[in-house]
Amino acid sequence: MSHNPPVRHGVWLRRGLVAAVAVGVLAVLGVVVGLPVLRDRSQQRLEDRADREVSATAQRVRAGLLADRAGGESTLRRVAEAVDGVEVLTVQGVGARPDAGARLFFRVRVTTTAASIFGWQRAESAACFAQLVPADARPAALERVPCPA
């Protein structure tokens, strides 16, 4: 009747250690592979938010311009540049009559920052727009245009 419990206990201990090491290695690999993916997703969300803010800023400019249609080109320029992050590129009169309206080309730049588990992240976005500002009450759509080089 020989009973050998220490050997059986040693086998279980070795198996447990091997399993613990395997789980540890998998956890480390998961972190090494997963963190860059999470950081990239977080950065992409921040860039998407910055792009939405560019569009929202352009819409605020549009609303201001269409609310002040009666002003001249200098007034329209001033209205647009009063919005933070907006740079007026050109203002052109449309048509032969001075009261026909104007067409504004402007650039919107937005920088967005956010805290994350990876520290501070930053995203910049810019886009150019053209807005026809007719002197009368005609509707005028905001147009996204390529930015000059």
Side-chain angles (χ1 to χ4, degrees):
M1 282 232 352
S2 99
H3 193 30
N4 206 349
V7 172
R8 190 175 292 164
H9 187 273
V11 169
W12 282 106
L13 183 60
R14 266 195 318 259
R15 286 181 182 167
L17 285 173
V18 167
V21 167
V23 166
V25 167
L26 286 174
V28 168
L29 283 174
V31 167
V32 166
V33 171
L35 278 180
V37 170
L38 289 175
R39 184 176 40 247
D40 290 347
R41 285 194 66 208
S42 177
Q43 183 66 33
Q44 183 61 47
R45 280 194 306 270
L46 190 60
E47 289 171 3
D48 291 345
R49 190 170 97 197
D51 194 49
R52 285 190 305 272
E53 285 185 36
V54 164
S55 296
T57 300
Q59 288 297 331
R60 281 196 310 275
V61 170
R62 176 184 183 275
L65 292 171
L66 295 178
D68 199 358
R69 296 173 191 249
E73 291 178 13
S74 62
T75 302
L76 295 175
R77 179 182 290 274
R78 208 170 33 254
V79 166
E81 287 179 341
V83 178
D84 202 29
V86 174
E87 170 193 6
V88 174
L89 301 173
T90 62
V91 181
Q92 302 169 340
V94 292
R97 296 185 350 246
D99 63 342
R103 186 172 175 90
L104 235 80
F105 293 92
F106 60 96
R107 177 178 314 183
V108 178
R109 288 187 177 139
V110 171
T111 300
T112 305
T113 58
S116 71
I117 61 172
F118 310 106
W120 282 98
Q121 290 183 296
R122 176 185 172 126
E124 295 180 6
S125 185
C128 292
F129 298 89
Q131 177 64 55
L132 175 65
V133 184
D136 56 12
R138 282 181 292 149
L142 181 66
E143 182 182 355
R144 196 171 191 149
V145 295
C147 287

